[in-house]
Structure formats: structure tokens, C-alpha cells
Amino acid sequence: MTGSPMSSGGAVRERVTVRRGLSRPRGGSRKSNTAPRPYRGSSSTPWIYLAPALVVLGGLLVYPVYQLGLISFLEYTQAQVSGGEPATFQGFGNYAELFGDGEFWRVLLATVVFAAACVVSTLAVGCALAVLLTRVRALPRLALMLAGLGAWATPAVTGSTVWLLLFDPDFGPVNRMLGLGDHSWTYGRYSAFLLVLLEVVWCSFPFVMVTVYAGIRAVPSEVLEAAALDGASQWRIWRSVLAPMLRPILVVVTIQSVIWDFKVFTQIYVMTNGGGIAGQNLVLNVYAYQKAFASSQYSLGSAIGVVMLLILLAVTLVYLRLLRRQGEEL
């Protein structure tokens, strides 16, 4: 049944009105249906927010480094400190004296080997325990994390003293358990370095453990399940799946470990009584302390500090450059 002409005409007019209402009005402002663009501030905006922190860091880091470098170019001994003689400019004379000293190169080699052993051992223990944390239940995981954080929070002097008591030749329980009698761990050069290495790893691995554990928890569980279903062992999962995905985190903990272990001071000074017998356990930090304060050669101590700073900067920059060549985003 068809409608009347009046009803059909009304329907036509109604459709025309709707279409006109949906059409864009002429001469008016055009409203965009796209989402508004995000506000892009000035390129200097991030630096404004970072300015307070940069000022603090400048006061705490830049100025001391400047003073360290300045003293390394001066003749600065006890006479200059007391004001009896004026400080004189030596140029690179302090560095020439330092590089011409055979003991400096021996201490530098010992520092590099010792720091490398500490870094490798810390990363191995920390990563292994991080994987273990993902395999145990909640209560053992909590106990392990609390124990690790307790070791990390222990002051270096306290931890070094405790380790000396544990390995004491007369009253230490370690010698009794191993049947070593009155063996002195701090008498021999390599045994003393080994004892200090164990203490350094003990107080350093919790940082690696917690950081890597947080990274593992961020990895999708489907990836690990797929690798396990393919028959991959735990070592293969770590080497082929977790390590590549955690590489940015591993970069951070490696650089931090290199910096911390290369400038170890307290553990060596306390556990070997200032560097061992005839300086056999000296590292660069203790060597700089002896030159600056024991011998009052502050300019030589400052020169050693500058050399350490340059070595750490070079190692960090080379490591980051190698990673960028491999296509890693840092």
C-alpha cells in the first residue's frame, strides 16, 4: 500500500533537512575530525627540568674533578699544603714521573686483572641467582632476596672485618672446616687477592641479582615456555633467549661493576692491612692513597686519580660503541 503524495513529500523534505544538517556549513569554521596533535614543547624544556640536578652534579662531580686535574699539574706536597712554599706548575712532570715508575705499571696490571676477575665473578653469581629466583617458590625467594640485600647494605668496613674473622688462622671457622690448620689467607699474594675477591663478590652480587631478576620477570612467559617445549636446557635458554633480550640491562650492571671493582679501596685496605706485605696486594686506589697521604705527594696521588678516571671513561665508551655497532639501542 503506497502512501499519499503529502506523506511522501514530507519524507523527502525530512531527508533533505537531515542531509543539510550533516553538511559542513558554508563560510563557517571547519571542524577537523582528526585527533588534536600533541603539544611539542621547546627543545630546551628537558634541560630546564634537568637544570637543578645538573647544578648539584656539577658541584659534587665537576668541581672535584677539576681540582683533581689541577693538582696533578702542580708540585703539591706537604710544604705547599702547610703554606710554607707556593705551588709551582709542573706541566706533565708528575705524569712523566708516574709513567716512569715500574711499580705503577705493576699495580696497574694487578688492578686490571683483579677488577676483571671481580666483574666476571659478580655477573656470574648475580645472573645465576637471578635465574634461581624465578625457579623457587615465594618464601625461599623472599629469604634469598633479603639475605642478598642484607649483604649489599652491609658497610664495606664491616663486611671486610667479618670476612677476616671467618678466615682467621687461629679462630676462623673456615680453616677448621677445610682442615687447613693455621693457614694465613692474607700472607700469600694470590690467596689474599682471592679472599678480597670473595668479599667483593659477596657485597656486589645482590645489585646484579635484583636488576637481572626484574628484567627476567619482564620477559613474556610465552617465550620461555616455547623455548622449554623445544627442548632447550636452562643454559641454552639463558644464552639464546634471555641474554639477548636482557642485553641493555646487562650493559648497565657490567659498566657499574667495572667502575666499582676497578676502584676498590676499602676491602683491600682493611683485609690486607694497607696493601699486603711489601705492597704485594696494592691496587690503584690504595696506591694513590699511599702516594698522597702516606708520602705527602698529593700531586702524584692526583695524577693516579686522573689516570683511573680516563681508563674508566675509555672502557665505558669503547663498550658502548661496540654495542651500538651491533645495533643495540641504549
Side-chain angles (χ1 to χ4, degrees):
M1 181 176 180
T2 59
S4 61
M6 291 208 57
S7 62
S8 61
V12 171
R13 285 194 298 271
E14 189 174 340
R15 286 194 294 270
V16 172
T17 303
V18 172
R19 290 180 180 178
R20 286 180 179 177
L22 295 177
S23 62
R24 186 180 295 118
R26 297 181 181 178
S29 60
R30 297 185 177 181
K31 297 181 180 180
S32 176
N33 294 329
T34 60
R37 295 181 179 179
Y39 172 74
R40 295 182 178 179
S42 175
S43 59
S44 61
T45 301
W47 295 104
I48 295 176
Y49 289 108
L50 291 174
L54 292 177
V55 171
V56 175
L57 290 176
L60 295 177
L61 297 177
V62 176
Y63 183 73
V65 170
Y66 163 75
Q67 287 291 334
L68 183 72
L70 179 62
I71 294 175
S72 68
F73 289 103
L74 302 176
E75 182 183 359
Y76 203 73
T77 61
Q78 187 62 37
Q80 285 75 28
V81 172
S82 60
E85 297 179 7
T88 57
F89 183 73
Q90 296 292 318
F92 290 95
N94 292 322
Y95 292 95
E97 180 180 352
L98 184 66
F99 294 150
D101 187 2
E103 185 180 12
F104 167 75
W105 295 106
R106 180 182 65 82
V107 173
L108 176 60
L109 178 60
T111 304
V112 171
V113 174
F114 176 74
C118 289
V119 170
V120 173
S121 302
T122 302
L123 291 177
V125 174
C127 292
L129 291 178
V131 175
L132 179 63
L133 287 176
T134 63
R135 310 292 294 179
V136 298
R137 297 183 179 273
L139 189 59
R141 183 189 309 127
L142 178 62
L144 180 57
M145 293 189 71
L146 289 177
L149 293 177
W152 192 22
T154 302
V157 175
T158 306
S160 301
T161 305
V162 170
W163 276 77
L164 281 179
L165 293 176
L166 291 175
F167 288 84
D168 186 83
D170 298 323
F171 308 103
V174 175
N175 282 3
R176 295 181 182 180
M177 293 176 58
L178 299 179
L180 297 178
D182 57 351
H183 172 73
S184 176
W185 291 80
T186 58
Y187 182 79
R189 183 188 184 192
Y190 298 107
S191 61
F193 269 128
L194 176 61
L195 182 60
V196 177
L197 182 145
L198 294 176
E199 201 279 335
V200 170
V201 173
W202 174 76
C203 67
S204 301
F205 83 86
F207 171 74
V208 179
M209 179 186 70
V210 174
T211 306
V212 175
Y213 172 72
I216 294 176
R217 298 297 295 177
V219 176
S221 58
E222 294 81 3
V223 177
L224 302 179
E225 292 176 359
L229 290 176
D230 289 340
S233 62
Q234 291 297 322
W235 168 246
R236 185 60 184 272
I237 292 176
W238 167 260
R239 184 170 61 88
S240 301
V241 179
L242 288 177
M245 299 182 71
L246 299 177
R247 188 167 296 176
I249 295 177
L250 295 177
V251 169
V252 173
V253 297
T254 300
I255 293 176
Q256 289 280 5
S257 298
V258 168
I259 294 174
W260 289 340
D261 297 339
F262 192 82
K263 59 185 187 68
V264 165
F265 173 81
T266 306
Q267 291 88 344
I268 289 285
Y269 192 83
V270 173
M271 300 181 72
T272 64
N273 196 18
I277 301 174
Q280 64 182 3
N281 296 114
L282 282 176
V283 292
L284 279 181
N285 237 352
V286 180
Y287 185 58
Y289 177 84
Q290 288 189 353
K291 286 292 184 181
F293 298 101
S295 304
S296 298
Q297 296 176 321
Y298 301 102
S299 53
L300 283 179
S302 300
I304 297 172
V306 172
V307 171
M308 291 180 60
L309 176 63
L310 295 178
I311 291 175
L312 290 176
L313 285 177
V315 170
T316 302
L317 292 177
V318 169
Y319 191 47
L320 292 177
R321 187 173 181 180
L322 290 176
L323 290 174
R324 289 181 66 88
R325 285 184 177 180
Q326 296 176 2
E328 293 293 333
E329 295 183 1
L330 303 175

